[in-house]
Amino acid sequence: MTVMPAARPASVAAPLNADFPTPAVAVRGVNKVYGPAGNQVLALRDISLAVAPGEFVCLVGASGCGKSTLLNIVAGLDRPAGGEVQIVGRRAMLFQEAGLFPWLTAAANVELALRLAGRPAAERRTEAERLLRTVRLDGFADKRPHELSGGMRQRVALARAFAQSADILFMDEPFGSLDAMTRDLLHDELEALWADRGFSVLFVTHDVREAVRLGDRVLVLTSRPGSVAAEFAVDIPRPRRVGDPRETGLVAAITDRLRREVRGHAED
Ligand code: ADP
Ligand code: MG
């Protein structure tokens, strides 16, 4: 079951100061251990991060460093061993696999999410078609997942996430299985939708280029146990284009930091 039910309104703490609005996502001191007592593996160690309303934050880390574990905890699919997570707004999640119901058409997959979000039956079909247009799938509403390409299936999953009127999108390597050209196209589309709608994104990837292409900020995770090792601001104007020379230096710096993490001899 990959359709997340419509998120409950999260508890909203009053902002302490108008200059520092309540973050959309706040993670404080989160730890996670796997395994039975006596044979435990520390997967996450003292993770803290925040995503401002409307901000696009990317998390990069080597395979197995705890990215999915962290995202699942933040999205409310798993519990931390310690620490706290605060979410303000409705959330939706996108995984590496689109996770559509194979027996339902593209439109019906989106309509189901609208139903779970409590939208009246009479408007679901029109709204599903509108959402499919948003992700440029007009004309494919009546196709089933096996009749669509991988990129199209991820677009349906994106439309389904929007059907939940999400304020926050959690994305776990959502384009990892797509070819480079389709991925570039979806980067452009996601950026345009994000710029237009102003939702917040926490985007997990092991691909530094992808993180720099999309993020306002890139957080680098250490190898297991995962913790935030470094943070990079991406000051490249949008809309961004593949091959922007400004990205090259930043990609190199982040890759270098990540390599030191993977080799396990980072100095700080
Ligand atoms: P990533 O998404 O960065 O590749 P994961 O969050 O999937 O990493 O995994 C982090 C670590 O926790 C890995 O060492 C993995 O083997 C371990 N792990 C993940 N899920 C479980 C689980 N359900 N039970 C035990 N260990 C797990
Ligand atoms: Mg993962």
Side-chain angles (χ1 to χ4, degrees):
M1 179 74 175
T2 45
V3 175
M4 297 261 303
R8 299 151 294 285
S11 60
V12 180
L16 297 172
N17 180 324
D19 293 335
F20 296 96
T22 310
V25 179
V27 175
R28 297 185 199 92
V30 160
N31 294 303
K32 177 72 183 176
V33 271
Y34 284 117
N39 190 22
Q40 290 188 323
V41 174
L42 183 61
L44 298 176
R45 187 189 58 206
D46 193 24
I47 297 249
S48 295
L49 61 90
V51 180
E55 193 183 19
F56 202 128
V57 174
C58 293
L59 273 173
V60 292
S63 176
C65 79
K67 301 182 298 297
S68 295
T69 300
L70 175 62
L71 208 63
N72 288 342
I73 288 173
V74 176
L77 300 174
D78 196 0
R79 287 175 186 283
E84 57 175 356
V85 173
Q86 197 177 19
I87 304 289
V88 178
R90 296 167 76 93
R91 63 194 106 161
M93 183 135 175
L94 241 79
F95 300 92
Q96 184 161 1
E97 296 301 325
L100 304 174
F101 290 110
W103 60 90
L104 294 179
T105 62
N109 269 283
V110 177
E111 283 174 52
L112 179 60
L114 290 166
R115 182 157 71 83
L116 292 172
R119 299 287 292 272
E123 61 186 52
R124 282 182 218 143
R125 176 71 195 200
T126 325
E127 178 63 6
E129 281 174 355
R130 191 188 66 78
L131 287 165
L132 288 172
R133 265 200 308 281
T134 309
V135 294
R136 302 213 273 168
L137 280 182
D138 1 4
F140 293 89
D142 293 322
K143 301 282 185 211
R144 287 175 208 283
H146 75 272
E147 298 173 285
L148 302 172
S149 68
M152 288 169 150
R153 285 197 290 269
Q154 272 311 31
R155 287 198 182 114
V156 177
L158 198 56
R160 186 180 56 184
F162 291 134
Q164 300 168 55
S165 311
D167 304 300
I168 307 162
L169 218 48
F170 294 114
M171 307 181 84
D172 191 355
E173 311 211 29
F175 308 137
S177 62
L178 304 177
D179 63 87
M181 236 156 64
T182 305
R183 198 163 55 229
D184 286 347
L185 206 64
L186 285 176
H187 286 163
D188 294 346
E189 290 177 9
L190 174 61
E191 180 180 55
L193 287 166
W194 167 80
D196 183 50
R197 296 182 164 214
F199 48 84
S200 317
V201 185
L202 186 56
F203 188 105
V204 158
T205 178
H206 62 263
D207 180 342
V208 174
R209 248 171 227 293
E210 178 168 58
V212 170
R213 165 72 188 82
L214 292 172
D216 293 323
R217 271 192 300 143
V218 178
L219 306 181
V220 175
L221 289 187
T222 55
S223 290
R224 210 180 65 196
S227 64
V228 178
E231 174 181 328
F232 294 82
V234 187
D235 293 320
I236 303 172
R238 298 178 191 268
R240 296 179 187 155
R241 285 288 163 264
V242 187
D244 186 317
R246 285 167 291 199
E247 80 174 34
T248 316
L250 191 55
V251 167
I254 298 175
T255 303
D256 183 57
R257 190 70 181 78
L258 200 53
R259 284 214 181 108
R260 286 197 287 141
E261 284 309 325
V262 174
R263 291 191 192 123
H265 51 75
E267 297 304 315
D268 46 19

